[in-house]
Amino acid sequence: MYHFVRRAMAVTTAMAVVAGLAACGGSSSSSGGSVPGVTSTEIIVGTHTPLTGPAAAGYSEISPATKAYFDYVNSKGGVYGRKITFKIEDDAYDPATTQQKVRKLVLQDKVFAILSGLGTPTHTGVLDFLNTNKVPDLFVASGSLSWNQPKKYPYTFGYNPDYTIEGKTFGNYIKANFADKKVCTFGQHDDFGADGLKGVQDVLGASGVTHSETYDVTNTNVAPAIGALKAAGCQVTIAFTVPGFTALALGTAAQLGFKTQWMVSNVGADYATLGSQLKDATGPLLDGMLSTAYLPAPTDTTNPWIALFLKLDQQYDNNAAFDGNVEYGFAVGYLFVQALLAAGKNLTRQGIIAAVEKNGFAGPGLSPLRFSATDHSGFGGLQMAKVEGGKQEVFGPLYTTDDASGPITESSPSQPAPPADGIPS
């Protein structure tokens, strides 16, 4: 009898605990089903990002800007009456830390989705975990080809144009403008550098790249690599670098007397971010630097999207110094709200995946997003950008291509105006 009573009490206690968790855990959607991170009044979303560490320069501004956009949307009633709670975890650009932080977000904080997780080496380590747990892994802040594997990773979607597309764009520009020059690359020692080099060689051929060097984010001594590029006689050097290492490369090159035409990946070329590190040397070192862009120049205040984000930055992001990273944060926040709206009132994880694959999104991007059931890669086009007279401006046609051997096509970018209130309908 004693054992029966004790078991009965245990069952009753367990039921009470479950009931209590259901009441306060916040995981029921308006459809009556249990959806992690979703209640009738809230959507909990998480991210990992380097607020500190070797990639913090510039990148630490992205998530606060995304949160600022959500704060604005929340002030207008949220999305279908739900306000967005954005949990930002600092991983210091360390893959081991990323795994700890993402597990916390999913298993403890019970987030609905991971949004804009930043970094190639960091996010690569959580792909399997997120997809095994069927957590929407949306708009990764990196251009690795890894994000575009719908069959293997159906819950993961990219955002940035992938680095192979960017490499092909650089190669195409070099072919037209620097055909007789020795071309070299300096890239991060992971998919970032490898995918970029692949794209360059897709256009110029393997022999079209005279010399390649890599760096590791744990070692700030880039002098040997830059010295090797100088010794190889590199006349055009393409850098697939995060901002901190772009600054290190350009500064070290100046110290070593290495003069080359720098072409820098869009993820490491933001003028204001580099200027904050190069200080008085900014003008001389950055003048003439080429890069790419898929969002409007953050200094183009005539662009209605920039005007909108500037206004929201002042009101909801503590008037942070506006640059390409802040713009990126607002842009990805806008896209996520579009995705939530497209997923409908009865929000589910499968529902938002279906909504993103259906696509039809329009926003500040210079090229269309390529999302579909068979393509999770994000933006597919880039324009060139150049620093002249202390300004970084976008110029020329929009180049679109694939991450294989497809041709590069040119078109004129088209961009819709933002909604009057800055919130997608």
Side-chain angles (χ1 to χ4, degrees):
M1 181 67 176
Y2 169 77
H3 293 293
F4 175 81
V5 172
R6 186 171 63 178
R7 287 174 60 193
M9 290 177 65
V11 171
T12 303
T13 301
M15 291 176 66
V17 170
V18 171
L21 289 173
C24 65
S27 61
S28 295
S29 73
S30 60
S31 63
S34 179
V35 180
V38 179
T39 70
S40 60
T41 60
E42 185 183 32
I43 305 167
I44 305 173
V45 185
T47 194
H48 66 86
T49 195
L51 299 178
T52 59
Y59 292 170
S60 61
E61 304 166 6
I62 294 174
S63 290
T66 302
K67 181 181 182 301
Y69 184 73
F70 293 158
D71 288 345
Y72 170 63
V73 172
N74 290 343
S75 75
K76 300 295 184 180
V79 180
Y80 295 124
R82 298 186 181 103
K83 294 189 176 181
I84 304 169
T85 297
F86 194 37
K87 292 182 176 289
I88 303 170
E89 291 286 345
D90 177 18
D91 64 6
Y93 209 64
D94 175 69
T97 304
T98 305
Q99 292 191 38
Q100 296 172 11
K101 299 291 189 177
V102 169
R103 285 178 178 274
K104 173 186 176 294
L105 287 166
V106 172
L107 301 177
Q108 295 182 33
D109 297 331
K110 307 293 184 184
V111 296
F112 168 68
I114 295 294
L115 173 66
S116 194
L118 190 145
T120 300
T122 49
H123 201 76
T124 299
V126 296
L127 277 178
D128 288 316
F129 171 76
L130 291 173
N131 280 268
T132 297
N133 285 277
K134 299 182 179 181
V135 180
D137 179 22
L138 303 178
F139 318 140
V140 183
S142 156
S144 171
L145 295 172
S146 296
W147 324 142
N148 184 24
Q149 301 184 72
K151 290 184 179 179
K152 185 177 182 180
Y153 298 125
Y155 288 83
T156 297
F157 293 81
Y159 182 75
N160 307 20
D162 70 56
Y163 300 128
T164 298
I165 287 176
E166 186 173 41
K168 289 176 71 173
T169 302
F170 279 140
N172 183 70
Y173 188 85
I174 288 168
K175 205 170 184 179
N177 296 276
F178 304 119
D180 59 340
K181 304 293 184 183
K182 286 187 176 181
V183 179
C184 301
T185 65
F186 175 62
Q188 191 159 294
H189 192 204
D190 54 31
D191 287 352
F192 180 12
D195 290 351
L197 174 60
K198 174 185 177 298
V200 177
Q201 292 179 325
D202 281 347
V203 175
L204 300 182
S207 62
V209 177
T210 300
H211 188 79
S212 294
E213 289 288 331
T214 62
Y215 71 90
D216 191 292
V217 294
T218 61
N219 182 5
T220 57
N221 180 19
V222 299
I226 301 302
L229 292 169
K230 179 184 178 183
C234 303
Q235 296 169 294
V236 177
T237 304
I238 308 171
F240 295 100
T241 47
V242 296
F245 280 84
T246 304
L248 280 171
L250 271 61
T252 302
Q255 291 175 346
L256 297 179
F258 172 42
K259 295 183 179 180
T260 186
Q261 170 63 61
W262 286 100
M263 303 180 80
V264 182
S265 169
N266 65 84
V267 304
D270 181 69
Y271 184 85
T273 301
L274 295 176
S276 69
Q277 298 175 71
L278 296 173
K279 308 295 183 184
D280 293 341
T282 300
L285 293 186
L286 295 188
D287 192 54
M289 180 186 76
L290 292 163
S291 60
T292 63
Y294 56 95
L295 294 172
T299 53
D300 182 9
T301 55
T302 64
N303 184 288
W305 289 97
I306 297 301
L308 168 66
F309 294 158
L310 271 169
K311 181 180 177 181
L312 296 180
D313 176 59
Q314 293 165 1
Q315 296 177 348
Y316 292 90
D317 197 20
N318 298 314
N319 199 24
F322 194 84
D323 60 17
N325 298 293
V326 175
E327 176 191 6
Y328 183 107
F330 277 106
V332 79
Y334 183 90
L335 177 60
F336 182 64
V337 170
Q338 279 189 301
L340 288 176
L341 287 165
K345 293 181 180 180
N346 294 330
L347 183 61
T348 65
R349 285 174 163 176
Q350 288 292 348
I352 200 165
I353 296 302
V356 177
E357 288 186 338
K358 188 176 180 181
N359 202 351
F361 304 124
L366 301 175
S367 75
L369 288 157
R370 302 191 301 181
F371 298 138
S372 71
T374 58
D375 193 333
H376 285 194
S377 63
F379 288 108
L382 293 154
Q383 284 184 267
M384 292 296 298
K386 186 175 184 178
V387 174
E388 286 185 309
K391 292 183 178 181
Q392 189 170 35
E393 297 183 343
V394 178
F395 69 92
L398 176 72
Y399 298 98
T400 55
T401 186
D402 60 16
D403 52 33
S405 57
I408 298 169
T409 59
E410 298 181 8
S411 61
S412 298
S414 60
Q415 191 181 55
D421 64 354
I423 300 175
S425 57

